Amino acid sequence: MSSFETTFSKRLEALQDAKQLRTLVSTDYLGHGLIERHHKKLMSFGSNDYAGLADHPEVIQAAQMALDTYGAGSRASQLVSGYSALMETLEKELADYAACESACLFGSGYLANIGVIPALVGKGDVILADRLVHACMIDGSRLSGAAFHRFYHNDHEHLSTLLETHRSPYRHCLILVERVYSMDGDVAPLDNILEIAKHYNAWVLVDDAHGMGVLPPHHGDYLHLGTLSKGLGSYGAYVCGPLSVIEYLKSSARSLMFSTSLPPASVAAALTALRIIKQDPKRMQHGLDMARYFTEKMRMKMAQSAIVPLIIGDEDKAIALSKRLEDDGLYVPAIRPPTVPPQSSRLRFAFSIWHDKAIVDKVIGIIK
Ligand SMILES: *Cc1c(COP(=O)(O)O)cnc(C)c1O
């Protein structure tokens, strides 16, 4: 074996020993929230398409029309020739939805975060991040070269303390939070955070990945970042904010400047999905309603979003419970370290338009 192969076989073994080896399971979408995995038909609680927009007939039709008209790819980065009228319309409507002056698009939520954060801050600046922010916010912070501190999850008083201690030697300060935390489903105390930020002259970047298409828009003086790939059922991401900031990003966010722009079909799909949730807010409310029904019946803290974690602790137990649900035709992913902190392995439920009380009752029956 080559040194290449021996090195990586050993690393794979080490991952396996640490129970951190992940394998991909091919999953076919069958319609109406059903999937096929391991040759079994399962009702999925592992999809971020909360409002069922990925296969909404109008969304598919819009994507098909864009595909027929413009082809499969966008052919260049936005700055060369990859910026289209369709993208311009989507930006306008996203900005309007967020009540912001302007918006720009990125290839994905991951790309948006690793592009935006280093464009906003750098050496001589400081970042304060909630302890549970998504991996791509951490990666963006590392790329920026700014000093970095974390505050306790959703603890605005701790944020205040850290600002008091760390703010003054730095030029700019950026606070990183999520609107809805992806593995916990709870929401950030945005109004408190914005007030504190104002007091300490800090900027705020809010990642709304799991809020978009689930919760009504939250307006405020901060930079809005979100993905088109979850509640909107498409692919890509956006940032909304003041015109000057958005224009600056177009000339400085490297993941926007040096990456091919979104395929036209994804843009058209996202635009149609956005129009659907604007017209029919009830459609996005259903996942939250089912999450609340679940937490009420389970006597858990009331759900704040469509995501509900059932904390198990031990990872083998979480996997066993996930398998048990799979035997009964239900797919609920077990999430374990390093995605979540040690001993906090969990079943992560994502409720959507495809779930009703009967299926939620069935899940509860098995868990109990
Ligand atoms: C999913 C997610 C992302 C990544 O978005 P993609 O479009 O999937 O790359 C970023 N931030 C948060 C909080 C997320 O949950």
Side-chain angles (χ1 to χ4, degrees):
M1 271 211 282
S2 69
S3 117
F4 208 32
E5 285 167 285
T6 45
T7 303
F8 288 95
S9 312
K10 276 194 201 128
R11 286 195 195 169
L12 274 177
E13 269 170 40
L15 279 179
Q16 177 113 48
D17 291 345
K19 295 183 183 172
Q20 289 189 358
L21 184 65
R22 300 292 188 261
T23 50
L24 304 179
V25 177
S26 103
T27 304
D28 279 343
Y29 189 70
L30 304 175
H32 298 272
L34 294 168
I35 56 173
E36 188 177 315
R37 277 167 75 90
H38 302 124
H39 307 290
K40 272 184 291 199
K41 186 169 159 180
L42 307 166
M43 172 50 81
S44 177
F45 290 87
S47 160
N48 301 318
D49 179 21
Y50 304 107
L53 291 169
D55 61 339
H56 187 289
E58 285 170 40
V59 172
I60 292 176
Q61 196 191 13
Q64 263 167 358
M65 254 165 63
L67 193 58
D68 288 341
T69 311
Y70 306 112
S74 70
R75 303 176 180 85
S77 70
Q78 294 188 48
L79 294 174
V80 176
S81 65
Y83 181 66
S84 63
L86 208 52
M87 291 171 72
E88 198 174 354
T89 307
L90 178 58
E91 287 173 352
K92 285 215 175 82
E93 296 196 17
L94 284 164
D96 175 53
Y97 190 63
C100 291
E101 262 180 0
S102 187
C104 63
L105 299 175
F106 283 82
S108 70
Y110 188 96
L111 286 169
N113 273 303
I114 65 164
V116 171
I117 297 168
L120 296 177
V121 290
K123 243 184 142 175
D125 302 325
V126 62
I127 292 171
L128 296 178
D130 186 286
R131 235 170 62 173
L132 294 188
V133 293
H134 194 269
C136 58
M137 290 192 121
I138 307 287
D139 295 352
S141 301
R142 285 192 185 135
L143 278 173
S144 77
F148 183 79
H149 300 279
R150 295 194 200 216
F151 58 93
Y152 300 137
H153 176 54
N154 274 350
D155 186 342
H156 61 272
E157 282 165 17
H158 189 223
L159 169 65
S160 229
T161 310
L162 288 184
L163 281 162
E164 193 61 45
T165 319
H166 297 293
R167 173 70 184 94
S168 61
Y170 296 101
R171 191 178 34 173
H172 301 303
C173 174
L174 178 65
I175 297 168
L176 303 178
V177 295
E178 289 178 28
R179 173 106 185 271
V180 171
Y181 282 86
S182 58
M183 294 301 140
D184 293 73
D186 52 352
V187 304
L190 283 187
D191 293 326
N192 293 324
I193 288 169
L194 292 174
E195 198 184 308
I196 292 165
K198 203 167 167 188
H199 184 256
Y200 287 95
N201 184 25
W203 304 327
V204 182
L205 175 62
V206 180
D207 186 334
D208 195 21
H210 289 280
M212 177 52 132
V214 179
L215 304 176
H218 178 278
H219 304 313
D221 195 9
Y222 58 89
L223 209 55
H224 303 240
L225 184 155
T227 176
L228 307 174
S229 65
K230 290 174 180 161
L232 293 180
S234 179
Y235 196 72
Y238 62 88
V239 179
C240 301
L243 183 64
S244 58
V245 179
I246 300 302
E247 284 307 306
Y248 181 74
L249 289 178
K250 292 176 188 168
S251 297
S252 56
R254 294 169 65 83
S255 57
L256 182 155
M257 299 168 73
F258 303 116
S259 188
T260 302
S261 67
L262 287 168
S266 302
V267 178
L271 178 59
T272 302
L274 178 63
R275 288 176 179 169
I276 292 170
I277 61 161
K278 279 182 185 173
Q279 281 162 14
D280 184 8
K282 271 210 193 104
R283 196 178 174 96
M284 60 178 197
Q285 171 80 26
H286 186 82
L288 178 59
D289 288 345
M290 287 301 107
R292 287 188 172 149
Y293 179 72
F294 177 80
T295 52
E296 190 191 318
K297 286 226 138 177
M298 292 286 290
R299 301 189 179 190
M300 291 161 69
K301 212 171 139 237
M302 174 137 81
Q304 296 178 301
S305 72
I307 300 167
V308 180
L310 185 66
I311 310 286
I312 307 293
D314 179 69
E315 54 185 288
D316 292 328
K317 273 192 197 150
I319 292 166
L321 187 51
S322 174
K323 286 226 172 80
R324 173 68 185 75
L325 287 160
E326 197 168 310
D327 291 339
D328 275 295
L330 305 163
Y331 175 60
V332 186
I335 310 285
R336 41 206 177 111
T339 308
V340 292
Q343 283 308 309
S344 76
S345 291
R346 63 198 65 189
L347 291 185
R348 178 182 179 276
F349 290 88
F351 293 94
S352 77
I353 193 134
W354 304 116
H355 303 132
D356 57 16
K357 287 185 177 173
I359 195 86
V360 177
D361 287 339
K362 181 176 169 181
V363 171
I364 293 171
I366 297 167
I367 293 171
K368 288 200 163 152

